[in-house]
C-alpha cells in the first residue's frame, strides 16, 4: 500500500490527501470584472443617462441610479445564494430546473436566452450608431476632419452600412466567445482597463475644464457652426422654449421611468451564474462578493461620473442639450454624449480618439458577453436531450463549438437585421428586458423555494443564515421577485422606455414561452421513443 | 424514420455509468438507485470513489466546530451536529470527530493524520459496500466498481470481499453479452496520485488486457483516464508546484488525456469507451466508430453526473448524458 500524503489546509480546519485536483478557468478578479460588464459605467452613462435626460426631463438621476443599482444588489445577492450552492454552467436553466421543475427551467432559460439574443442585436446597433458613429463625428468635429464626419454621418443614417459594420462586430464577438476563456478574458480585462482609463481621463478633463471654462470652450467650438457667440446659453433657452424642464431632480414623477431605464441594465450583475462551473472557488462567498461587488463598482462609478458631468458641463445645459438633441437647436453632428462634451472641453483630437476608442471597446466587450450565455444554454439543452446532441459538437481540430456558435450567430444576425431595418435600439432593448422579466421572476421564485425544496444542498452552501427563523436566501428571493415584477411593470407602464405597444410586447413574451413548451413537449416525445422520457432524464435520482 | 424510430427496446442492453464520486455519500446512494431509476440492468462505477479531505469536527466545552465551504460553523445540539456532518459529506469530505487535543495531534503529526484518513476512507467504503449489498443483493442488477487513479490501494481489499460488488479493475468481465475491459490507472498527473503509469507502461498494460478480448469490436472499454485530445480531457495546465500555468496572464487549457488510451481505442475500435478523471470535460465524442463518453463529475453539488447507454449487437443505439 502506497503511503498517503495528507496535508493541512485552511489553518488546520481541513486535511487533504494528495489527489487529482480541479482547476477552473475564471479567477475571482476576472469573475468580478465579468459581472461589471453587464452594466459598465461607460455603457450606462452613454445609454441610460443621456436617454433619461432627454426622455424624462427633470428626473432625479442620483435617485434613479441609486434605486436601480440597489435593485441590482438585491437581485445579485439573491441569485448568488443559489449559484454558490449549485455553480453550474447553464445558470438559470440548471438551478431553476433543479429547484422547481425541468420544464420551468426550460421556460426560464428560453426567456433569458431570447432576451440576451435581443440584447446582442440592440447592443450591436447601439455600438454602431450610438458609439462608433458619434465617436467618428466627435473626432471629425474636434479635428475638423470631413472624412471622419462623412463616415460618422453615413453610419448614422445608412442602414446598409449599419448592417455591414454591425455584422463585423458580431462576427468578432462570436469568434472571441468561441475561442475559449484564455483570449476572452484577456480582451475582457483589457477592456476593463481601457474603460476605466477612459472614465478617468474624462473625469480629469471635465473637472479641469469645468464651469465657465467649459462654457468658453463650448462656445468657441460652436461659434463657426451656429454663428452664435453664446451657443451654450442659447441651447438652454431653446430647451426651455420647447417646454423642457432643464432642472434635473425637480420632477419626481419622471424619476420612476428613469429608474426603469437604469434597472434595464443594472440588475444583471448575477450574469456569471451562467458560467458557474467555470469559476474558481464558486462554492464560497466569492460568488456573492463577485456579483454584489460588481454592482457596487458600477453604482459608484455612475454616481461619481454623473456628479462630475453635472458639475463640469452645468446641469441645466447637460439636460437641455439632451432634450434638444435631434432638433434644429442642436446643429452639431455628434450627439451630446459625454465623449463629445468631454472632447470639446479638452479641445483635443487625440482625446476624442481615445475616448471614442474606449467607448467602442466597452460596447464590444458588452457584446461579447451576450454570446457567453446562449452558447452555454444551447450546450446544456443538447447534453440534456432537449435538443439534438449534435448541437454540442465541438470541432476536434479547433475545439470550437461550431454548431452552437453558428446557431447563436445566425440568430443574433437575424435579430440585428430586424433592429436595423425594422426597429430601433430602445424598442429592441425594451422587448429584451420584458422577455427577460419572465426568467427573472422564475429565478426569484426558485431562490425563494431553494432552502425549502433543496434543503440538503442549501445546508451545504455558504448562505445558511436565518433572520427571524426565515432563511436569508428566501428573503433575498422575495426581494428579487419584487424587483423583477417592478421591472416588468415599469416597462409596460411607461412607453418612453421603448414598449409602445403592450399587446405586441406581451405577444412576443408569449411566443417565447410557448416555444419553450413546444420544444420541451417535442423533445420529450422523441426521448420517450428512444426509451428515456425527458422528465425522467432531468429528474433527481432519489438517494434513499 | 430516424428520430422517431423506437430505440432501447427490450432486446438491448442498458447500462448506467458514472465516475469520480470522490467520497460523496449522497452520490453513492444515488448511483445504487440509478439502475432502478433509469431502467438499467448494469451499473458501472468508473473510479475515484474516495474523498479527498477530512474535516475535523472539534469538540470543546460542549460545542462542536467545523469548517464548511470556507467558513467555521458551530453546532450545539445533536441535531445541529448531524446537520454539520451532512453538509460536510455533501461536499465530498469525511467528517471526523476529535477533541481539541486530538486535533492538535493531527496538526503536529503526519503519521496520525495519515492513519486517521485511511481509517475514515476504509470505514466509509465498508459502509458503502454494505449499502450496495443491502440494496442490490436480491435484484438482477449487476454492479461493477473499479478504483481510479486517486483511490488508495487499501480499498481493493474491501471491494474484493463483497459478493455483490464486482471489482472489474484490470480484468475482462461480461456485461450483458459484451466484454468489458477495465483499467483505473491514469497517465502521470502533477499530483502523483496512487495509481499512475508512464504512457508506454500504461499502453502495455492496456494492450495486454485488450489481447484477451474475443470480440474487441463489440467490447466496452471502461478506462478511467480519457483518450488524449478527444475533447473529453481538456483541463488547465498545472506546473510542478500545482499552480496553473499562465500564458499571457491566463490559465492555459490543454488536453491531459492519455495517448496510450487513444492509441488503444484507435487500434481495437471498441463499441463504447467510458471515461472519467477530468471532471470539467463532460462530453461525448466519436473516435472512429467508437462512441467515447465522459459524463464529468460535480461531486460536491449532490447531483450525480452519469450517462445511460443502450447497446445492441449492431452497435450503440442510444446514449444520454444525465444529471441525477
Amino acid at each position: 500500500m502506497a503511503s498517503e500524503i495528507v496535508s493541512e489546509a485552511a489553518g488546520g480546519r481541513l486535511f487533504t490527501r494528495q489527489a487529482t485536483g480541479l482547476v477552473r478557468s475564471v479567477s475571482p478578479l476576472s469573475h468580478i470584472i465579468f459581472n461589471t460588464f453587464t452594466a459598465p459605467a461607460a455603457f450606462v452613462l452613454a445609454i441610460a443617462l443621456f436617454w433619461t435626460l432627454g426622455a424624462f426631463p427633470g428626473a432625479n438621476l442620483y435617485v434613479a441610479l441609486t434605486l436601480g443599482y440597489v435593485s441590482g444588489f438585491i437581485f445579485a445577492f439573491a441569485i448568488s445564494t443559489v449559484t454558490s450552492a449549485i455553480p453550474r454552467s447553464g445558470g438559470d436553466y440548471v438551478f431553476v430546473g433543479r429547484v422547481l421543475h425541468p420544464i420551468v427551467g426550460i421556460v426560464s432559460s428560453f426567456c433569458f436566452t431570447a432576451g440576451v439574443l435581443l440584447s446582442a442585436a440592440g447592443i450591436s446597433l447601439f455600438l454602431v450608431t450610438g458609439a462608433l458613429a458619434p465617436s467618428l463625428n466627435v473626432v471629425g468635429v474636434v479635428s475638423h476632419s470631413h472624412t471622419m464626419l462623412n463616415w460618422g454621418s453615413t453610419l448614422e443614417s445608412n442602414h446598409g452600412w449599419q448592417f455591414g459594420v454591425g455584422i463585423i462586430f458580431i462576427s468578432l464577438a462570436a469568434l472571441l466567445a468561441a475561442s475559449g476563456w484564455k483570449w476572452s478574458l484577456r480582451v475582457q480585462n483589457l477592456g476593463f482597463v481601457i474603460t476605466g482609463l477612459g472614465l478617468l481621463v474624462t473625469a480629469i478633463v471635465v473637472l479641469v475644464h469645468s464651469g465657465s471654462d467649459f462654457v468658453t470652450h463650448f462656445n468657441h467650438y460652436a461659434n463657426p457652426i451656429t454663428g452664435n457667440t453664446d451657443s451654450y446659453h442659447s441651447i438652454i433657452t431653446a430647451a426651455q422654449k420647447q417646454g423642457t424642464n432643464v432642472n434635473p431632480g425637480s420632477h419626481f414623477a419622471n424619476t420612476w421611468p428613469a429608474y426603469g431605464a437604469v434597472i434595464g441594465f443594472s440588475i444583471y450583475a448575477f450574469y456569471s451564474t451562467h458560467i458557474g462551473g467555470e469559476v474558481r472557488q464558486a462554492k464560497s462567498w466569492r460568488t456573492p462578493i463577485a456579483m454584489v461587488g460588481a454592482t457596487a463598482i458600477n453604482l459608484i462609478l455612475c454616481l461619481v461620473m454623473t456628479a462630475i458631468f453635472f458639475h463640469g458641463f452645468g446641469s441645466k445645459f447637460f439636460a437641455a442639450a439632451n432634450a434638444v438633441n435631434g432638433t434644429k437647436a442642436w446643429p452639431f453632428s455628434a450627439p451630446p454624449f459625454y465623449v463629445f462634451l468631454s472632447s470639446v472641453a479638452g479641445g483635443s483630437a487625440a482625446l476624442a480618439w481615445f475616448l471614442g476608442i474606449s467607448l467602442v471597446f466597452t460596447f464590444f466587450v458588452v457584446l461579447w458577453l451576450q454570446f457567453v450565455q446562449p452558447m452555454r444554454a444551447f450546450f446544456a439543452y443538447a447534453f440534456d436531450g432537449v435538443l439534438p446532441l449534435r448541437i454540442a459538437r465541438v470541432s476536434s481540430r479547433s475545439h470550437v463549438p461550431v454548431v452552437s456558435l453558428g446557431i447563436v450567430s445566425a440568430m443574433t444576425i437575424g435579430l440585428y437585421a430586424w433592429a436595423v431595418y425594422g426597429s430601433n435600439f430602445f424598442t429592441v432593448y425594451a422587448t429584451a428586458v420584458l422577455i427577460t422579466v419572465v426568467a427573472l421572476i422564475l429565478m426569484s421564485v426558485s431562490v425563494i423555494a431553494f432552502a425549502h425544496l433543496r434543503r440538503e444542498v442549501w445546508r451545504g452552501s455558504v448562505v445558511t443564515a436565518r433572520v427571524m427563523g426565515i432563511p436569508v436566501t428566501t428573503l433575498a428571493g422575495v426581494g428579487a421577485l419584487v424587483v423583477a415584477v417592478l421591472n416588468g411593470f415599469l416597462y409596460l407602464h411607461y412607453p418612453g422606455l421603448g414598449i409602445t405597444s403592450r399587446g405586441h410586447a406581451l405577444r412576443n413574451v408569449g411566443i417565447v414561452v410557448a416555444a419553450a413548451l413546444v420544444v420541451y413537449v417535442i423533445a420529450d416525445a422523441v426521448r420517450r421513443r428512444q426509451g428515456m422520457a425527458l422528465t425522467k432524464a432531468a429528474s433527481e435520482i432519489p438517494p434513499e | 424514420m430516424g428520430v422517431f424510430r423506437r430505440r432501447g427496446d427490450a432486446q438491448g442492453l442498458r447500462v448506467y455509468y458514472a465516475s469520480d464520486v470522490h467520497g460523496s455519500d449522497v452520490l453513492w446512494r444515488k448511483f445504487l438507485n440509478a439502475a432502478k431509476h433509469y431502467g438499467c440492468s448494469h451499473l458501472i462505477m468508473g473510479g475515484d470513489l474516495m474523498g479527498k479531505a477530512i474535516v475535523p469536527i472539534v469538540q470543546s466545552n460542549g460545542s462542536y466546530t467545523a469548517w464548511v465551504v470556507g467558513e467555521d460553523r458551530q453546532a450545539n445540539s445533536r441535531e445541529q451536529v448531524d446537520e454539520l456532518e451532512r453538509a460536510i459529506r455533501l461536499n465530498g469530505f469525511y467528517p471526523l470527530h476529535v477533541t481539541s487535543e486530538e486535533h492538535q495531534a493531527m496538526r503536529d503529526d503526519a503519521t496520525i493524520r495519515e492513519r486517521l484518513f485511511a481509517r475514515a476512507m476504509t470505514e466509509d467504503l465498508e459502509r458503502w459496500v454494505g449499502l450496495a449489498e443491502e440494496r442490490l443483493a436480491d435484484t438482477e442488477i449487476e454492479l461493477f466498481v473499479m478504483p481510479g487513479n486517486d483511490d488508495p490501494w487499501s480499498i481493493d481489499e474491501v471491494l474484493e470481499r463483497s459478493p455483490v460488488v464486482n471489482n472489474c479493475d484490470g480484468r475482462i468481465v461480461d456485461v450483458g453479452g459484451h466484454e468489458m475491459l477495465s483499467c483505473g490507472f491514469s497517465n502521470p498527473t502533477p499530483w502523483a496520485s496512487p495509481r499512475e503509469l508512464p504512457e508506454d507502461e500504461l499502453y502495455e498494460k492496456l494492450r495486454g488486457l485488450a489481447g484477451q478480448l474475443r470480440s474487441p469490436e463489440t467490447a466496452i472499454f471502461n478506462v478511467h483516464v480519457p483518450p488524449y485530445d478527444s475533447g473529453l480531457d481538456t483541463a488547465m495546465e498545472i506546473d510542478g508546484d500545482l499552480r496553473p500555468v499562465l500564458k499571457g496572464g491566463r490559465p492555459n487549457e490543454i488536453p491531459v488525456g492519455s495517448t496510450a488510451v487513444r492509441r488503444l481505442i484507435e487500434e481495437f475500435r471498441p463499441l463504447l469507451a467510458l471515461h472519467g478523471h477530468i471532471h470539467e470535460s463532460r462530453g461525448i465524442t466519436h473516435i472512429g466508430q467508437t462512441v467515447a463518453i465522459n459524463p464529468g463529475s460535480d461531486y460536491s453539488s449532490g447531483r450525480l453526473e452519469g450517462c445511460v447507454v443502450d447497446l445492441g449487437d449492431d452497435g450503440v443505439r442510444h446514449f444520454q448524458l444525465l444529471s441525477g
Side-chain angles (χ1 to χ4, degrees):
Chain A
M1 175 188 154
S3 174
E4 287 287 320
I5 297 170
V6 181
S7 314
E8 180 184 300
R13 292 173 293 180
L14 180 74
F15 296 90
T16 59
R17 69 188 176 92
Q18 201 149 328
T20 320
L22 171 62
V23 182
R24 297 177 194 271
S25 308
V26 183
S27 69
L29 179 62
S30 294
H31 189 185
I32 294 183
I33 294 174
F34 180 86
N35 286 327
T36 64
F37 270 103
T38 55
F43 176 81
V44 173
L45 292 169
I47 299 179
L49 184 59
F50 294 87
W51 173 21
T52 51
L53 279 170
F56 313 110
N60 188 323
L61 292 183
Y62 296 114
V63 173
L65 284 167
T66 305
L67 280 177
Y69 279 101
V70 166
S71 302
F73 284 135
I74 294 169
F75 218 92
F77 179 69
I79 302 302
S80 74
T81 62
V82 181
T83 304
S84 57
I86 310 173
R88 295 304 306 272
S89 299
D92 59 330
Y93 170 65
V94 176
F95 75 76
V96 174
R98 286 187 186 181
V99 174
L100 299 177
H101 188 276
I103 199 164
V104 186
I106 285 281
V107 172
S108 176
S109 184
F110 261 57
C111 289
F112 201 91
T113 304
V116 171
L117 290 169
L118 276 163
S119 297
I123 288 162
S124 302
L125 183 58
F126 202 87
L127 200 168
V128 175
T129 60
L132 181 59
S135 296
L136 291 171
N137 281 332
V138 170
V139 171
V141 168
V142 176
S143 64
H144 307 292
S145 165
H146 287 290
T147 308
M148 290 295 156
L149 279 170
N150 279 339
W151 286 3
S153 55
T154 302
L155 264 187
E156 274 186 343
S157 56
N158 187 305
H159 284 171
W161 275 102
Q162 285 171 7
F163 189 70
V165 174
I167 295 295
I168 292 170
F169 280 118
I170 289 170
S171 304
L172 288 173
L175 285 175
L176 185 61
S179 70
W181 281 118
K182 189 159 66 178
W183 278 101
S184 293
L185 291 179
R186 276 181 196 170
V187 172
Q188 174 201 276
N189 295 350
L190 178 66
F192 188 73
V193 171
I194 290 176
T195 303
L197 280 176
L199 289 176
L200 182 65
V201 170
T202 299
I204 291 169
V205 167
V206 175
L207 285 172
V208 167
H209 299 287
S210 63
S212 58
D213 199 15
F214 174 73
V215 175
T216 307
H217 274 85
F218 184 79
N219 285 336
H220 175 74
Y221 269 96
N223 181 256
I225 301 161
T226 62
N228 187 336
T229 54
D230 190 7
S231 302
Y232 182 91
H233 289 101
S234 297
I235 286 165
I236 296 173
T237 307
Q240 285 170 328
K241 272 186 185 167
Q242 70 176 41
T244 302
N245 180 344
V246 295
N247 295 304
S250 61
H251 194 323
F252 191 74
N254 268 358
T255 302
W256 278 109
Y259 161 56
V262 176
I263 204 176
F265 304 95
S266 63
I267 59 167
Y268 297 100
F270 64 85
Y271 195 66
S272 62
T273 189
H274 301 288
I275 57 165
E278 297 147 83
V279 170
R280 280 183 230 158
Q281 297 169 312
K283 285 198 74 161
S284 70
W285 274 101
R286 287 184 187 275
T287 294
I289 289 168
M291 294 183 179
V292 175
T295 314
I297 290 169
N298 287 336
L299 169 62
I300 291 165
L301 286 174
C302 280
L303 287 177
V304 168
M305 292 307 293
T306 302
I308 289 172
F309 291 155
F310 279 172
H311 171 73
F313 305 140
S315 57
K316 282 188 179 178
F317 171 77
F318 201 33
N322 282 283
V324 299
N325 180 30
T327 71
K328 270 169 53 181
W330 186 264
F332 311 103
S333 304
F337 287 6
Y338 75 84
V339 173
F340 173 62
L341 298 177
S342 308
S343 301
V344 167
S348 155
L351 177 67
W353 271 109
F354 175 68
L355 295 184
I357 289 169
S358 164
L359 187 64
V360 169
F361 207 104
T362 303
F363 271 78
F364 176 72
V365 177
V366 175
L367 177 59
W368 157 74
L369 212 66
Q370 312 309 308
F371 278 81
V372 172
Q373 183 271 340
M375 283 174 63
R376 280 156 181 75
F378 282 111
F379 247 79
Y381 303 155
F383 271 173
D384 285 358
V386 177
L387 294 178
L389 189 63
R390 66 177 68 91
I391 285 172
R393 195 173 77 79
V394 175
S395 161
S396 57
R397 207 159 53 94
S398 62
H399 296 293
V400 170
V402 280
V403 183
S404 71
L405 176 66
I407 291 171
V408 173
S409 301
M411 292 176 93
T412 305
I413 289 169
L415 290 168
Y416 182 60
W418 170 61
V420 170
Y421 292 103
S423 190
N424 62 68
F425 166 76
F426 295 107
T427 300
V428 172
Y429 205 86
T431 307
V433 168
L434 205 59
I435 292 172
T436 309
V437 163
V438 177
L440 299 181
I441 289 172
L442 296 175
M443 289 157 82
S444 305
V445 172
S446 66
V447 175
I448 293 169
F450 174 53
H452 310 282
L453 298 182
R454 292 288 175 266
R455 188 166 285 272
E456 287 299 313
V457 182
W458 170 71
R459 279 182 179 141
S461 70
V462 290
V463 187
T464 54
R466 291 173 185 265
V467 173
M468 290 187 294
I470 304 169
V472 168
T473 302
T474 304
L475 295 173
V478 172
L481 183 61
V482 171
V483 169
V485 171
L486 189 58
N487 189 1
F489 168 77
L490 290 172
Y491 274 79
L492 285 172
H493 187 71
Y494 292 102
L497 288 172
I499 301 290
T500 49
S501 167
R502 283 184 207 169
H504 280 155
L506 292 172
R507 184 201 61 190
N508 290 338
V509 173
I511 287 171
V512 176
V513 172
L517 296 173
V518 167
V519 166
Y520 189 90
V521 169
I522 292 173
D524 192 49
V526 173
R527 298 303 169 195
R528 277 178 197 277
R529 297 284 298 177
Q530 292 173 335
M532 176 80 69
L534 209 55
T535 315
K536 174 69 83 178
S539 65
E540 185 171 4
I541 305 169
E544 303 307 329
Chain B
M1 223 310 256
V3 290
F4 287 106
R5 184 158 51 93
R6 182 173 288 278
R7 292 176 176 178
D9 54 41
Q11 293 170 355
L13 167 72
R14 173 168 282 190
V15 301
Y16 179 80
Y17 173 85
S19 183
D20 298 79
V21 292
H22 283 291
S24 171
D25 201 58
V26 69
L27 258 56
W28 177 254
R29 289 168 181 272
K30 286 183 173 185
F31 175 70
L32 295 178
N33 283 0
K36 193 175 165 194
H37 190 71
Y38 297 122
C40 302
S41 55
H42 294 75
L43 289 171
I44 303 166
M45 172 53 65
D48 283 4
L49 283 83
M50 307 318 297
K52 298 177 183 181
I54 44 176
V55 177
I57 300 176
V58 184
Q59 185 187 358
S60 178
N61 298 326
S63 74
Y64 300 81
T65 310
W67 197 70
V68 183
V69 284
E71 61 181 11
D72 285 316
R73 288 191 188 173
Q74 205 165 14
N76 297 310
S77 64
R78 186 63 245 170
E79 191 183 41
Q80 287 177 339
V81 172
D82 288 345
E83 200 170 296
L84 207 56
E85 284 186 11
R86 280 201 297 270
I88 292 168
R89 285 190 191 281
L90 180 84
N91 287 290
F93 301 152
Y94 300 111
L96 181 73
H97 284 271
V98 290
T99 61
S100 302
E101 293 74 28
E102 287 167 334
H103 182 224
Q104 192 55 49
M106 281 178 76
R107 298 192 66 179
D108 296 340
D109 191 336
T111 317
I112 291 176
R113 55 180 182 252
E114 283 173 23
R115 193 183 69 231
L116 288 172
F117 209 127
R119 196 178 76 194
M121 284 191 290
T122 307
E123 285 177 0
D124 242 47
L125 187 63
E126 281 170 347
R127 194 167 51 79
W128 281 13
V129 169
L131 198 64
E133 289 166 359
E134 187 185 302
R135 291 190 184 182
L136 303 179
D138 297 327
T139 70
E140 299 291 312
I141 298 163
E142 290 192 52
L143 172 63
F144 297 92
V145 179
M146 74 170 177
N149 69 299
D150 275 340
D151 292 321
W153 290 95
S154 54
I155 77 165
D156 293 49
E157 187 191 334
V158 180
L159 294 176
E160 290 292 345
R161 281 203 300 262
S162 171
V164 167
V165 176
N166 293 301
N167 179 3
C168 51
D169 187 30
R171 294 171 187 161
I172 307 293
V173 296
D174 179 77
V175 176
H178 295 266
E179 294 168 289
M180 183 168 80
L181 172 160
S182 298
C183 178
F185 278 81
S186 79
N187 51 344
T189 73
W191 287 271
S193 55
R195 300 174 200 238
E196 295 179 5
L197 285 173
E199 289 284 8
D200 52 348
E201 288 181 38
L202 182 58
Y203 176 75
E204 287 308 317
K205 182 177 177 65
L206 290 167
R207 184 74 179 74
L209 279 170
Q212 300 171 36
L213 294 168
R214 292 187 306 274
S215 172
E217 66 282 0
T218 61
I220 301 167
F221 281 11
N222 169 30
V223 182
H224 184 63
V225 60
Y228 179 78
D229 201 18
S230 57
L232 308 178
D233 67 327
T234 308
M236 295 297 119
E237 188 177 3
I238 301 291
D239 66 16
D241 296 324
L242 306 180
R243 293 188 188 129
V245 174
L246 302 180
K247 288 199 174 166
R250 303 295 332 146
N252 193 38
E253 282 189 350
I254 54 166
V256 296
S258 163
T259 52
V261 173
R262 178 153 200 136
R263 190 174 155 197
L264 191 84
I265 292 172
E266 286 172 347
E267 279 178 20
F268 287 87
R269 290 173 287 177
L271 211 53
L272 175 67
L274 301 168
H275 309 279
H277 192 50
I278 309 299
H279 304 180
E280 63 271 45
S281 211
R282 174 176 165 91
I284 296 172
T285 193
H286 286 80
I287 297 174
Q289 296 297 311
T290 304
V291 176
I293 302 175
N294 175 2
S297 171
D298 189 21
Y299 63 89
S300 61
S301 71
R303 292 291 280 220
L304 181 61
E305 307 290 356
C307 66
V308 160
V309 184
D310 291 326
L311 289 164
D313 291 338
D314 53 338
V316 176
R317 294 179 179 178
H318 175 240
F319 40 84
Q320 172 73 59
L321 289 172
L322 300 158
S323 182

